[in-house]
Amino acid sequence: MQKTATTYLLLITFVAAIGGFLFGYDWVVIGGAKPFYEAYFHLESDPALQGWAMSSAIVGSFIGVLLSGGLADRYGRKPLIYTAAILFIISSVGTGMAADLNIFIIYRVLGGIGIGVASNLAPMYIAEIAPAESRGKFVSINQLTIVLGILAAQIVNWLIAKPVLPDEIIATTWNGQQGWRWMFWAGAIPAVIFLLLLFLIPESPRWLYNKGKHEEARRIFLRMGGDYYANENMATIDAANKNHNKLKKRNLFRGNYCSCCCSEVLSQSFNNGVASM
């Protein structure tokens, strides 16, 4: 591939990988805010509510992961990634503004949905735009940004929190009234940047091709790596689709299909994958 095409691919990858950064940040930021919002909401003597406040985002993550795959297949990768960015913004702002525990949890669940969508679709999108021979390297960038998001959350919490003296009541300190809010609000900054940068990246060309938008998919592949790259990827997608059509779920339970034909189809898929690398 041309150097300019590789730069373009890296740009797309890093933009998509911001979803991983927000995943890491939103998942971890609550740890630093915990002693302060618990004092604000008077949860010190209620372990059940403490656990629910901490884990509510997991419920949202479950919902996000459960729904994102099917919706992304129907409507495309980008609309769902847009949705994740918007949910991160709403969650960051809303959680920081919450004056009631129930409102706090609602916004944490919304952020969790964003986490579920981003954790599912960001690596999927990167894998679909990356060259087969370096797909692992490109997808690993998303893993790197998750760790960077975790690190950023810890640093932000450390910078925002002010020392609390032993004789001070946390609920009456700046940390207990405002500090924990700024920890969540800080997450809105990368989320807004993510949303704006998403306008610069294309829809997944593999999804476009599978939806019959071959010319649009080809134009994106051309920009990514030139004519040869476009032809190679479109041929690979076409071959994969043909093999997928041969192997239906119901055929796995028919006579000798599983021991013979299934092996043949899987072997063809493997050979096509190796040939494309």
Side-chain angles (χ1 to χ4, degrees):
M1 287 190 297
Q2 300 174 354
K3 183 178 179 180
T4 53
T6 303
T7 302
Y8 180 60
L9 275 171
L10 284 172
L11 172 64
I12 297 172
T13 301
F14 276 110
V15 170
I18 298 175
F21 179 91
L22 292 167
F23 166 19
Y25 185 94
D26 198 68
W27 194 264
V28 171
V29 69
I30 194 170
K34 181 179 185 292
F36 309 124
Y37 74 72
E38 284 184 354
Y40 180 86
F41 293 122
H42 308 292
L43 305 181
E44 300 95 326
S45 59
D46 196 332
L49 282 180
Q50 289 178 14
W52 174 225
M54 279 288 291
S55 62
S56 54
I58 298 177
V59 176
S61 300
F62 177 78
I63 297 171
V65 170
L66 192 66
L67 297 179
S68 59
L71 291 174
D73 286 341
R74 178 176 295 184
Y75 299 110
R77 303 344 182 190
K78 273 192 68 175
L80 269 293
I81 299 176
Y82 276 125
T83 302
I86 293 170
L87 287 173
F88 281 126
I89 296 171
I90 294 173
S91 175
S92 298
V93 175
T95 305
M97 292 179 64
D100 176 80
L101 179 61
N102 292 326
I103 300 300
F104 177 90
I105 289 173
I106 288 172
Y107 282 114
R108 284 298 294 166
V109 171
L110 289 176
I113 296 174
I115 289 173
V117 173
S119 65
N120 194 9
L121 294 187
M124 178 193 297
Y125 177 87
I126 295 170
E128 289 183 345
I129 60 116
E133 65 274 9
S134 55
R135 190 164 292 144
K137 295 178 182 178
F138 277 83
V139 174
S140 67
I141 293 174
N142 185 70
Q143 305 305 312
L144 173 63
T145 57
I146 292 174
V147 177
L148 291 176
I150 293 171
L151 176 63
Q154 301 285 20
I155 293 174
V156 168
N157 288 343
W158 172 63
L159 291 174
I160 289 176
K162 295 181 178 180
V164 178
L165 299 177
D167 59 342
E168 285 186 305
I169 300 173
I170 293 179
T172 63
T173 64
W174 182 84
N175 290 332
Q177 292 296 315
Q178 295 295 325
W180 65 270
R181 299 181 186 277
W182 284 101
M183 295 175 185
F184 290 106
W185 285 336
I189 297 173
V192 169
I193 294 172
F194 182 41
L195 180 64
L196 295 176
L197 290 178
L198 285 174
F199 288 96
L200 303 178
I201 68 174
E203 178 58 86
S204 165
R206 292 177 181 267
W207 181 83
L208 290 170
Y209 187 91
N210 289 330
K211 290 297 180 179
K213 301 178 180 180
H214 295 179
E215 287 304 315
E216 191 173 348
R218 181 177 177 79
R219 284 196 299 270
I220 296 172
F221 278 131
L222 282 171
R223 187 175 179 187
M224 288 179 176
D227 193 66
Y228 176 78
Y229 183 75
N231 292 336
E232 181 184 41
N233 276 277
M234 294 181 74
T236 301
I237 297 170
D238 192 52
N241 288 343
K242 289 179 180 177
N243 286 335
H244 176 74
N245 292 333
K246 290 180 181 179
L247 186 58
K248 303 292 185 181
K249 289 182 180 179
R250 64 178 181 272
N251 291 332
L252 294 175
F253 305 97
R254 287 186 177 178
N256 296 326
Y257 192 86
C258 2
S259 60
C260 179
C261 299
C262 183
S263 299
E264 179 183 352
V265 172
L266 291 176
S267 176
Q268 290 175 359
S269 299
F270 176 77
N271 291 335
N272 285 332
V274 171
S276 66
M277 296 179 65

